[in-house]
Amino acid sequence: MGRLPRAPKIAGVPIKFKTLKDLSVAAVDIATGRHVPLEIAQERWDTCNTCEYFNGSRCSLCGCFMKKKVALPSSKCPDNRWKN
């Protein structure tokens, strides 16, 4: 039996249906100007800075640019490291 087809990748990150759904929800947050309080965004950013999947600007698990993602209320860490 052959292998299952792999998810297509953009910039090395697998793009799945969930990824597209999360991006559309994030776009609504951005379009409506919704953000988490600065303290929560800073806490998320600090968590990312200690994570092995963070390269200084992007997460290698989800492919997101974290400077923007940490401020969006609909965003979640793909490794469940954020408390809020």
Side-chain angles (χ1 to χ4, degrees):
M1 185 177 338
R3 297 178 105 191
L4 293 174
R6 294 182 185 209
K9 293 183 178 184
I10 296 176
V13 178
I15 301 300
K16 301 176 184 172
F17 179 73
K18 182 179 178 350
T19 307
L20 299 174
K21 181 181 168 191
D22 291 346
L23 286 172
S24 66
V25 173
V28 171
D29 284 346
I30 292 168
T32 58
R34 293 180 25 189
H35 294 90
V36 298
L38 185 57
E39 297 80 22
I40 292 174
Q42 184 64 52
E43 184 179 308
R44 291 176 173 185
W45 180 256
D46 293 343
T47 300
C48 291
N49 274 313
T50 63
C51 180
E52 68 270 19
Y53 300 112
F54 183 60
N55 72 8
S57 62
R58 293 179 78 172
C59 172
S60 63
L61 290 179
C62 64
C64 293
F65 290 96
M66 301 312 294
K67 193 171 189 177
K68 292 284 186 192
K69 184 174 182 172
V70 297
L72 302 177
S74 64
S75 294
K76 303 208 180 325
C77 170
D79 202 35
N80 295 316
R81 295 179 186 227
W82 294 348
K83 294 177 188 174
N84 299 315

mmCIF file of all heavy atoms in Angstrom, residues 8-54:
data_model
loop_
_atom_site.group_PDB
_atom_site.id
_atom_site.type_symbol
_atom_site.label_atom_id
_atom_site.label_comp_id
_atom_site.label_asym_id
_atom_site.label_seq_id
_atom_site.Cartn_x
_atom_site.Cartn_y
_atom_site.Cartn_z
ATOM 1 N N PRO A 8 -0.072 20.171 1.444
ATOM 2 C CA PRO A 8 0.795 21.121 0.749
ATOM 3 C C PRO A 8 1.466 22.048 1.755
ATOM 4 O O PRO A 8 0.950 22.281 2.841
ATOM 5 C CB PRO A 8 -0.170 21.890 -0.152
ATOM 6 C CG PRO A 8 -1.527 21.631 0.378
ATOM 7 C CD PRO A 8 -1.476 20.348 1.143
ATOM 8 N N LYS A 9 2.636 22.568 1.383
ATOM 9 C CA LYS A 9 3.380 23.441 2.279
ATOM 10 C C LYS A 9 3.572 24.817 1.656
ATOM 11 O O LYS A 9 3.753 24.927 0.449
ATOM 12 C CB LYS A 9 4.750 22.851 2.602
ATOM 13 C CG LYS A 9 4.692 21.593 3.428
ATOM 14 C CD LYS A 9 6.078 21.106 3.775
ATOM 15 C CE LYS A 9 6.009 19.873 4.646
ATOM 16 N NZ LYS A 9 7.337 19.447 5.069
ATOM 17 N N ILE A 10 3.525 25.814 2.499
ATOM 18 C CA ILE A 10 3.867 27.180 2.120
ATOM 19 C C ILE A 10 4.932 27.636 3.097
ATOM 20 O O ILE A 10 4.732 27.595 4.307
ATOM 21 C CB ILE A 10 2.649 28.125 2.173
ATOM 22 C CG1 ILE A 10 1.606 27.678 1.142
ATOM 23 C CG2 ILE A 10 3.069 29.563 1.941
ATOM 24 C CD1 ILE A 10 0.331 28.472 1.164
ATOM 25 N N ALA A 11 6.078 28.034 2.583
ATOM 26 C CA ALA A 11 7.221 28.442 3.403
ATOM 27 C C ALA A 11 7.607 27.339 4.385
ATOM 28 O O ALA A 11 7.986 27.610 5.516
ATOM 29 C CB ALA A 11 6.935 29.753 4.128
ATOM 30 N N GLY A 12 7.461 26.075 3.968
ATOM 31 C CA GLY A 12 7.860 24.957 4.803
ATOM 32 C C GLY A 12 6.851 24.545 5.848
ATOM 33 O O GLY A 12 7.097 23.637 6.631
ATOM 34 N N VAL A 13 5.692 25.207 5.889
ATOM 35 C CA VAL A 13 4.676 24.913 6.893
ATOM 36 C C VAL A 13 3.511 24.184 6.230
ATOM 37 O O VAL A 13 2.972 24.667 5.228
ATOM 38 C CB VAL A 13 4.164 26.216 7.556
ATOM 39 C CG1 VAL A 13 3.068 25.923 8.555
ATOM 40 C CG2 VAL A 13 5.312 26.957 8.212
ATOM 41 N N PRO A 14 3.106 23.015 6.757
ATOM 42 C CA PRO A 14 1.972 22.303 6.168
ATOM 43 C C PRO A 14 0.690 23.126 6.286
ATOM 44 O O PRO A 14 0.381 23.664 7.348
ATOM 45 C CB PRO A 14 1.859 21.030 7.007
ATOM 46 C CG PRO A 14 3.154 20.897 7.711
ATOM 47 C CD PRO A 14 3.708 22.281 7.855
ATOM 48 N N ILE A 15 -0.031 23.243 5.195
ATOM 49 C CA ILE A 15 -1.282 23.980 5.193
ATOM 50 C C ILE A 15 -2.425 22.965 5.193
ATOM 51 O O ILE A 15 -2.593 22.190 4.257
ATOM 52 C CB ILE A 15 -1.385 24.896 3.957
ATOM 53 C CG1 ILE A 15 -0.226 25.884 3.941
ATOM 54 C CG2 ILE A 15 -2.719 25.615 3.920
ATOM 55 C CD1 ILE A 15 -0.147 26.807 5.139
ATOM 56 N N LYS A 16 -3.189 22.982 6.269
ATOM 57 C CA LYS A 16 -4.313 22.076 6.429
ATOM 58 C C LYS A 16 -5.582 22.914 6.531
ATOM 59 O O LYS A 16 -5.534 24.135 6.633
ATOM 60 C CB LYS A 16 -4.131 21.250 7.703
ATOM 61 C CG LYS A 16 -2.866 20.427 7.707
ATOM 62 C CD LYS A 16 -2.684 19.720 9.023
ATOM 63 C CE LYS A 16 -1.350 18.990 9.025
ATOM 64 N NZ LYS A 16 -1.041 18.450 10.329
ATOM 65 N N PHE A 17 -6.735 22.257 6.538
ATOM 66 C CA PHE A 17 -8.003 22.963 6.652
ATOM 67 C C PHE A 17 -8.051 23.799 7.920
ATOM 68 O O PHE A 17 -8.497 24.938 7.912
ATOM 69 C CB PHE A 17 -9.175 21.977 6.615
ATOM 70 C CG PHE A 17 -10.504 22.658 6.746
ATOM 71 C CD1 PHE A 17 -11.028 23.392 5.690
ATOM 72 C CD2 PHE A 17 -11.219 22.595 7.926
ATOM 73 C CE1 PHE A 17 -12.242 24.039 5.810
ATOM 74 C CE2 PHE A 17 -12.429 23.240 8.060
ATOM 75 C CZ PHE A 17 -12.955 23.957 6.995
ATOM 76 N N LYS A 18 -7.555 23.260 9.043
ATOM 77 C CA LYS A 18 -7.550 23.999 10.308
ATOM 78 C C LYS A 18 -6.721 25.270 10.204
ATOM 79 O O LYS A 18 -7.096 26.310 10.735
ATOM 80 C CB LYS A 18 -7.032 23.122 11.445
ATOM 81 C CG LYS A 18 -7.051 23.840 12.784
ATOM 82 C CD LYS A 18 -6.558 22.951 13.891
ATOM 83 C CE LYS A 18 -6.494 23.590 15.243
ATOM 84 N NZ LYS A 18 -6.664 24.983 15.396
ATOM 85 N N THR A 19 -5.600 25.212 9.489
ATOM 86 C CA THR A 19 -4.756 26.389 9.296
ATOM 87 C C THR A 19 -5.534 27.486 8.586
ATOM 88 O O THR A 19 -5.510 28.652 8.993
ATOM 89 C CB THR A 19 -3.500 26.036 8.479
ATOM 90 O OG1 THR A 19 -2.838 24.937 9.089
ATOM 91 C CG2 THR A 19 -2.553 27.219 8.365
ATOM 92 N N LEU A 20 -6.229 27.118 7.537
ATOM 93 C CA LEU A 20 -7.013 28.093 6.777
ATOM 94 C C LEU A 20 -8.147 28.672 7.613
ATOM 95 O O LEU A 20 -8.427 29.869 7.551
ATOM 96 C CB LEU A 20 -7.553 27.447 5.504
ATOM 97 C CG LEU A 20 -6.490 26.947 4.537
ATOM 98 C CD1 LEU A 20 -7.127 26.196 3.376
ATOM 99 C CD2 LEU A 20 -5.631 28.088 4.036
ATOM 100 N N LYS A 21 -8.779 27.836 8.420
ATOM 101 C CA LYS A 21 -9.851 28.298 9.300
ATOM 102 C C LYS A 21 -9.302 29.293 10.326
ATOM 103 O O LYS A 21 -9.894 30.351 10.554
ATOM 104 C CB LYS A 21 -10.493 27.107 10.006
ATOM 105 C CG LYS A 21 -11.626 27.466 10.910
ATOM 106 C CD LYS A 21 -12.186 26.219 11.573
ATOM 107 C CE LYS A 21 -13.126 26.598 12.685
ATOM 108 N NZ LYS A 21 -13.501 25.477 13.514
ATOM 109 N N ASP A 22 -8.159 28.962 10.944
ATOM 110 C CA ASP A 22 -7.546 29.853 11.933
ATOM 111 C C ASP A 22 -7.155 31.192 11.316
ATOM 112 O O ASP A 22 -7.315 32.243 11.940
ATOM 113 C CB ASP A 22 -6.315 29.197 12.562
ATOM 114 C CG ASP A 22 -6.663 28.012 13.448
ATOM 115 O OD1 ASP A 22 -7.851 27.843 13.806
ATOM 116 O OD2 ASP A 22 -5.741 27.239 13.779
ATOM 117 N N LEU A 23 -6.645 31.159 10.088
ATOM 118 C CA LEU A 23 -6.269 32.402 9.407
ATOM 119 C C LEU A 23 -7.479 33.278 9.133
ATOM 120 O O LEU A 23 -7.407 34.507 9.254
ATOM 121 C CB LEU A 23 -5.535 32.101 8.105
ATOM 122 C CG LEU A 23 -4.110 31.611 8.238
ATOM 123 C CD1 LEU A 23 -3.580 31.163 6.879
ATOM 124 C CD2 LEU A 23 -3.224 32.701 8.823
ATOM 125 N N SER A 24 -8.608 32.684 8.788
ATOM 126 C CA SER A 24 -9.805 33.484 8.516
ATOM 127 C C SER A 24 -10.338 34.129 9.793
ATOM 128 O O SER A 24 -10.782 35.279 9.773
ATOM 129 C CB SER A 24 -10.888 32.652 7.830
ATOM 130 O OG SER A 24 -11.368 31.647 8.683
ATOM 131 N N VAL A 25 -10.264 33.414 10.911
ATOM 132 C CA VAL A 25 -10.691 33.986 12.196
ATOM 133 C C VAL A 25 -9.745 35.116 12.611
ATOM 134 O O VAL A 25 -10.183 36.163 13.091
ATOM 135 C CB VAL A 25 -10.776 32.891 13.285
ATOM 136 C CG1 VAL A 25 -11.058 33.490 14.647
ATOM 137 C CG2 VAL A 25 -11.836 31.869 12.920
ATOM 138 N N ALA A 26 -8.450 34.928 12.401
ATOM 139 C CA ALA A 26 -7.468 35.971 12.711
ATOM 140 C C ALA A 26 -7.708 37.206 11.846
ATOM 141 O O ALA A 26 -7.569 38.339 12.320
ATOM 142 C CB ALA A 26 -6.052 35.447 12.513
ATOM 143 N N ALA A 27 -8.078 36.997 10.594
ATOM 144 C CA ALA A 27 -8.357 38.131 9.699
ATOM 145 C C ALA A 27 -9.523 38.957 10.216
ATOM 146 O O ALA A 27 -9.511 40.194 10.118
ATOM 147 C CB ALA A 27 -8.633 37.626 8.291
ATOM 148 N N VAL A 28 -10.522 38.301 10.797
ATOM 149 C CA VAL A 28 -11.657 39.027 11.384
ATOM 150 C C VAL A 28 -11.184 39.858 12.576
ATOM 151 O O VAL A 28 -11.581 41.019 12.730
ATOM 152 C CB VAL A 28 -12.790 38.058 11.789
ATOM 153 C CG1 VAL A 28 -13.858 38.772 12.593
ATOM 154 C CG2 VAL A 28 -13.386 37.393 10.552
ATOM 155 N N ASP A 29 -10.336 39.282 13.429
ATOM 156 C CA ASP A 29 -9.776 40.039 14.560
ATOM 157 C C ASP A 29 -9.060 41.291 14.067
ATOM 158 O O ASP A 29 -9.234 42.379 14.616
ATOM 159 C CB ASP A 29 -8.779 39.189 15.358
ATOM 160 C CG ASP A 29 -9.449 38.169 16.261
ATOM 161 O OD1 ASP A 29 -10.669 38.272 16.496
ATOM 162 O OD2 ASP A 29 -8.738 37.262 16.739
ATOM 163 N N ILE A 30 -8.244 41.128 13.039
ATOM 164 C CA ILE A 30 -7.477 42.260 12.511
ATOM 165 C C ILE A 30 -8.404 43.297 11.896
ATOM 166 O O ILE A 30 -8.265 44.499 12.154
ATOM 167 C CB ILE A 30 -6.422 41.767 11.495
ATOM 168 C CG1 ILE A 30 -5.352 40.942 12.226
ATOM 169 C CG2 ILE A 30 -5.788 42.932 10.752
ATOM 170 C CD1 ILE A 30 -4.436 40.164 11.307
ATOM 171 N N ALA A 31 -9.371 42.851 11.102
ATOM 172 C CA ALA A 31 -10.287 43.773 10.419
ATOM 173 C C ALA A 31 -11.160 44.555 11.395
ATOM 174 O O ALA A 31 -11.491 45.717 11.138
ATOM 175 C CB ALA A 31 -11.160 43.007 9.430
ATOM 176 N N THR A 32 -11.508 43.929 12.515
ATOM 177 C CA THR A 32 -12.369 44.598 13.494
ATOM 178 C C THR A 32 -11.577 45.301 14.588
ATOM 179 O O THR A 32 -12.154 45.927 15.468
ATOM 180 C CB THR A 32 -13.344 43.594 14.134
ATOM 181 O OG1 THR A 32 -12.599 42.543 14.752
ATOM 182 C CG2 THR A 32 -14.302 43.028 13.106
ATOM 183 N N GLY A 33 -10.242 45.177 14.542
ATOM 184 C CA GLY A 33 -9.399 45.867 15.515
ATOM 185 C C GLY A 33 -9.396 45.249 16.900
ATOM 186 O O GLY A 33 -9.069 45.913 17.876
ATOM 187 N N ARG A 34 -9.733 43.978 16.992
ATOM 188 C CA ARG A 34 -9.760 43.305 18.306
ATOM 189 C C ARG A 34 -8.356 42.867 18.694
ATOM 190 O O ARG A 34 -7.625 42.289 17.887
ATOM 191 C CB ARG A 34 -10.688 42.090 18.260
ATOM 192 C CG ARG A 34 -12.129 42.454 18.081
ATOM 193 C CD ARG A 34 -13.039 41.258 18.035
ATOM 194 N NE ARG A 34 -12.464 40.110 18.736
ATOM 195 C CZ ARG A 34 -12.967 38.905 18.708
ATOM 196 N NH1 ARG A 34 -14.044 38.657 18.007
ATOM 197 N NH2 ARG A 34 -12.397 37.914 19.353
ATOM 198 N N HIS A 35 -7.992 43.140 19.936
ATOM 199 C CA HIS A 35 -6.686 42.748 20.472
ATOM 200 C C HIS A 35 -6.838 42.349 21.928
ATOM 201 O O HIS A 35 -7.740 42.816 22.609
ATOM 202 C CB HIS A 35 -5.689 43.912 20.382
ATOM 203 C CG HIS A 35 -5.351 44.301 18.991
ATOM 204 N ND1 HIS A 35 -6.071 45.242 18.302
ATOM 205 C CD2 HIS A 35 -4.393 43.863 18.162
ATOM 206 C CE1 HIS A 35 -5.557 45.369 17.097
ATOM 207 N NE2 HIS A 35 -4.531 44.549 16.978
ATOM 208 N N VAL A 36 -5.934 41.509 22.402
ATOM 209 C CA VAL A 36 -5.894 41.179 23.827
ATOM 210 C C VAL A 36 -5.215 42.330 24.564
ATOM 211 O O VAL A 36 -4.512 43.130 23.946
ATOM 212 C CB VAL A 36 -5.137 39.842 24.081
ATOM 213 C CG1 VAL A 36 -5.842 38.686 23.407
ATOM 214 C CG2 VAL A 36 -3.693 39.930 23.645
ATOM 215 N N PRO A 37 -5.392 42.424 25.881
ATOM 216 C CA PRO A 37 -4.658 43.448 26.637
ATOM 217 C C PRO A 37 -3.145 43.273 26.467
ATOM 218 O O PRO A 37 -2.649 42.159 26.262
ATOM 219 C CB PRO A 37 -5.074 43.189 28.092
ATOM 220 C CG PRO A 37 -6.394 42.486 27.989
ATOM 221 C CD PRO A 37 -6.317 41.662 26.729
ATOM 222 N N LEU A 38 -2.428 44.367 26.557
ATOM 223 C CA LEU A 38 -0.979 44.373 26.353
ATOM 224 C C LEU A 38 -0.263 43.379 27.267
ATOM 225 O O LEU A 38 0.697 42.742 26.858
ATOM 226 C CB LEU A 38 -0.427 45.784 26.562
ATOM 227 C CG LEU A 38 1.047 45.983 26.266
ATOM 228 C CD1 LEU A 38 1.379 45.586 24.838
ATOM 229 C CD2 LEU A 38 1.444 47.422 26.513
ATOM 230 N N GLU A 39 -0.742 43.220 28.505
ATOM 231 C CA GLU A 39 -0.106 42.312 29.456
ATOM 232 C C GLU A 39 -0.177 40.863 28.954
ATOM 233 O O GLU A 39 0.781 40.101 29.090
ATOM 234 C CB GLU A 39 -0.762 42.404 30.843
ATOM 235 C CG GLU A 39 -0.642 43.749 31.494
ATOM 236 C CD GLU A 39 -1.652 44.776 30.991
ATOM 237 O OE1 GLU A 39 -2.722 44.388 30.451
ATOM 238 O OE2 GLU A 39 -1.361 45.980 31.098
ATOM 239 N N ILE A 40 -1.313 40.483 28.376
ATOM 240 C CA ILE A 40 -1.471 39.120 27.863
ATOM 241 C C ILE A 40 -0.595 38.919 26.635
ATOM 242 O O ILE A 40 0.069 37.886 26.497
ATOM 243 C CB ILE A 40 -2.950 38.816 27.552
ATOM 244 C CG1 ILE A 40 -3.741 38.766 28.857
ATOM 245 C CG2 ILE A 40 -3.089 37.502 26.777
ATOM 246 C CD1 ILE A 40 -5.236 38.605 28.681
ATOM 247 N N ALA A 41 -0.572 39.906 25.745
ATOM 248 C CA ALA A 41 0.280 39.808 24.552
ATOM 249 C C ALA A 41 1.745 39.670 24.954
ATOM 250 O O ALA A 41 2.482 38.859 24.380
ATOM 251 C CB ALA A 41 0.079 41.029 23.656
ATOM 252 N N GLN A 42 2.171 40.426 25.962
ATOM 253 C CA GLN A 42 3.567 40.354 26.414
ATOM 254 C C GLN A 42 3.871 38.987 27.037
ATOM 255 O O GLN A 42 4.928 38.416 26.803
ATOM 256 C CB GLN A 42 3.861 41.463 27.425
ATOM 257 C CG GLN A 42 5.310 41.514 27.862
ATOM 258 C CD GLN A 42 6.252 41.845 26.718
ATOM 259 O OE1 GLN A 42 6.048 42.827 26.014
ATOM 260 N NE2 GLN A 42 7.283 41.036 26.509
ATOM 261 N N GLU A 43 2.928 38.460 27.802
ATOM 262 C CA GLU A 43 3.102 37.131 28.411
ATOM 263 C C GLU A 43 3.234 36.060 27.328
ATOM 264 O O GLU A 43 4.100 35.176 27.396
ATOM 265 C CB GLU A 43 1.916 36.819 29.319
ATOM 266 C CG GLU A 43 2.025 35.523 30.066
ATOM 267 C CD GLU A 43 0.814 35.300 30.974
ATOM 268 O OE1 GLU A 43 0.489 36.215 31.758
ATOM 269 O OE2 GLU A 43 0.199 34.227 30.861
ATOM 270 N N ARG A 44 2.401 36.151 26.292
ATOM 271 C CA ARG A 44 2.481 35.205 25.173
ATOM 272 C C ARG A 44 3.825 35.335 24.458
ATOM 273 O O ARG A 44 4.458 34.335 24.123
ATOM 274 C CB ARG A 44 1.350 35.460 24.176
ATOM 275 C CG ARG A 44 -0.019 35.102 24.698
ATOM 276 C CD ARG A 44 -1.064 35.481 23.683
ATOM 277 N NE ARG A 44 -2.402 35.033 24.044
ATOM 278 C CZ ARG A 44 -3.475 35.167 23.264
ATOM 279 N NH1 ARG A 44 -3.366 35.754 22.085
ATOM 280 N NH2 ARG A 44 -4.639 34.735 23.664
ATOM 281 N N TRP A 45 4.243 36.583 24.205
ATOM 282 C CA TRP A 45 5.517 36.831 23.518
ATOM 283 C C TRP A 45 6.686 36.257 24.316
ATOM 284 O O TRP A 45 7.585 35.634 23.760
ATOM 285 C CB TRP A 45 5.691 38.323 23.289
ATOM 286 C CG TRP A 45 6.955 38.678 22.587
ATOM 287 C CD1 TRP A 45 8.074 39.216 23.146
ATOM 288 C CD2 TRP A 45 7.258 38.516 21.198
ATOM 289 N NE1 TRP A 45 9.044 39.401 22.182
ATOM 290 C CE2 TRP A 45 8.569 38.984 20.984
ATOM 291 C CE3 TRP A 45 6.537 38.021 20.115
ATOM 292 C CZ2 TRP A 45 9.173 38.956 19.730
ATOM 293 C CZ3 TRP A 45 7.140 38.007 18.869
ATOM 294 C CH2 TRP A 45 8.447 38.469 18.690
ATOM 295 N N ASP A 46 6.664 36.462 25.632
ATOM 296 C CA ASP A 46 7.727 35.932 26.491
ATOM 297 C C ASP A 46 7.766 34.400 26.437
ATOM 298 O O ASP A 46 8.842 33.804 26.428
ATOM 299 C CB ASP A 46 7.544 36.402 27.936
ATOM 300 C CG ASP A 46 7.754 37.899 28.103
ATOM 301 O OD1 ASP A 46 8.350 38.533 27.203
ATOM 302 O OD2 ASP A 46 7.296 38.445 29.127
ATOM 303 N N THR A 47 6.590 33.779 26.393
ATOM 304 C CA THR A 47 6.515 32.321 26.274
ATOM 305 C C THR A 47 7.123 31.869 24.952
ATOM 306 O O THR A 47 7.906 30.915 24.912
ATOM 307 C CB THR A 47 5.055 31.850 26.389
ATOM 308 O OG1 THR A 47 4.529 32.252 27.654
ATOM 309 C CG2 THR A 47 4.944 30.341 26.241
ATOM 310 N N CYS A 48 6.789 32.561 23.876
ATOM 311 C CA CYS A 48 7.335 32.207 22.554
ATOM 312 C C CYS A 48 8.857 32.339 22.530
ATOM 313 O O CYS A 48 9.544 31.515 21.924
ATOM 314 C CB CYS A 48 6.732 33.090 21.466
ATOM 315 S SG CYS A 48 4.986 32.751 21.160
ATOM 316 N N ASN A 49 9.376 33.364 23.181
ATOM 317 C CA ASN A 49 10.821 33.590 23.177
ATOM 318 C C ASN A 49 11.608 32.475 23.856
ATOM 319 O O ASN A 49 12.804 32.349 23.628
ATOM 320 C CB ASN A 49 11.162 34.936 23.812
ATOM 321 C CG ASN A 49 11.088 36.051 22.801
ATOM 322 O OD1 ASN A 49 11.606 35.944 21.698
ATOM 323 N ND2 ASN A 49 10.425 37.127 23.171
ATOM 324 N N THR A 50 10.949 31.660 24.673
ATOM 325 C CA THR A 50 11.634 30.538 25.333
ATOM 326 C C THR A 50 11.343 29.206 24.640
ATOM 327 O O THR A 50 11.809 28.165 25.098
ATOM 328 C CB THR A 50 11.209 30.434 26.810
ATOM 329 O OG1 THR A 50 9.817 30.155 26.886
ATOM 330 C CG2 THR A 50 11.527 31.720 27.563
ATOM 331 N N CYS A 51 10.596 29.244 23.547
ATOM 332 C CA CYS A 51 10.164 28.020 22.864
ATOM 333 C C CYS A 51 11.146 27.608 21.764
ATOM 334 O O CYS A 51 11.639 28.446 21.015
ATOM 335 C CB CYS A 51 8.783 28.259 22.244
ATOM 336 S SG CYS A 51 8.126 26.821 21.379
ATOM 337 N N GLU A 52 11.390 26.315 21.671
ATOM 338 C CA GLU A 52 12.317 25.804 20.661
ATOM 339 C C GLU A 52 11.763 25.901 19.239
ATOM 340 O O GLU A 52 12.513 25.802 18.270
ATOM 341 C CB GLU A 52 12.717 24.355 20.963
ATOM 342 C CG GLU A 52 11.610 23.335 20.825
ATOM 343 C CD GLU A 52 10.813 23.095 22.104
ATOM 344 O OE1 GLU A 52 10.847 23.929 23.026
ATOM 345 O OE2 GLU A 52 10.152 22.039 22.174
ATOM 346 N N TYR A 53 10.458 26.099 19.094
ATOM 347 C CA TYR A 53 9.852 26.215 17.767
ATOM 348 C C TYR A 53 9.856 27.651 17.227
ATOM 349 O O TYR A 53 9.484 27.881 16.091
ATOM 350 C CB TYR A 53 8.411 25.690 17.783
ATOM 351 C CG TYR A 53 8.325 24.249 18.196
ATOM 352 C CD1 TYR A 53 7.744 23.883 19.404
ATOM 353 C CD2 TYR A 53 8.842 23.242 17.378
ATOM 354 C CE1 TYR A 53 7.664 22.553 19.784
ATOM 355 C CE2 TYR A 53 8.777 21.913 17.754
ATOM 356 C CZ TYR A 53 8.182 21.578 18.951
ATOM 357 O OH TYR A 53 8.118 20.261 19.333
ATOM 358 N N PHE A 54 10.263 28.603 18.049
ATOM 359 C CA PHE A 54 10.260 30.024 17.659
ATOM 360 C C PHE A 54 11.630 30.400 17.114
ATOM 361 O O PHE A 54 12.647 30.149 17.736
ATOM 362 C CB PHE A 54 9.923 30.873 18.890
ATOM 363 C CG PHE A 54 9.817 32.341 18.612
ATOM 364 C CD1 PHE A 54 8.890 32.830 17.717
ATOM 365 C CD2 PHE A 54 10.636 33.236 19.269
ATOM 366 C CE1 PHE A 54 8.782 34.187 17.481
ATOM 367 C CE2 PHE A 54 10.542 34.593 19.042
ATOM 368 C CZ PHE A 54 9.606 35.068 18.143
#
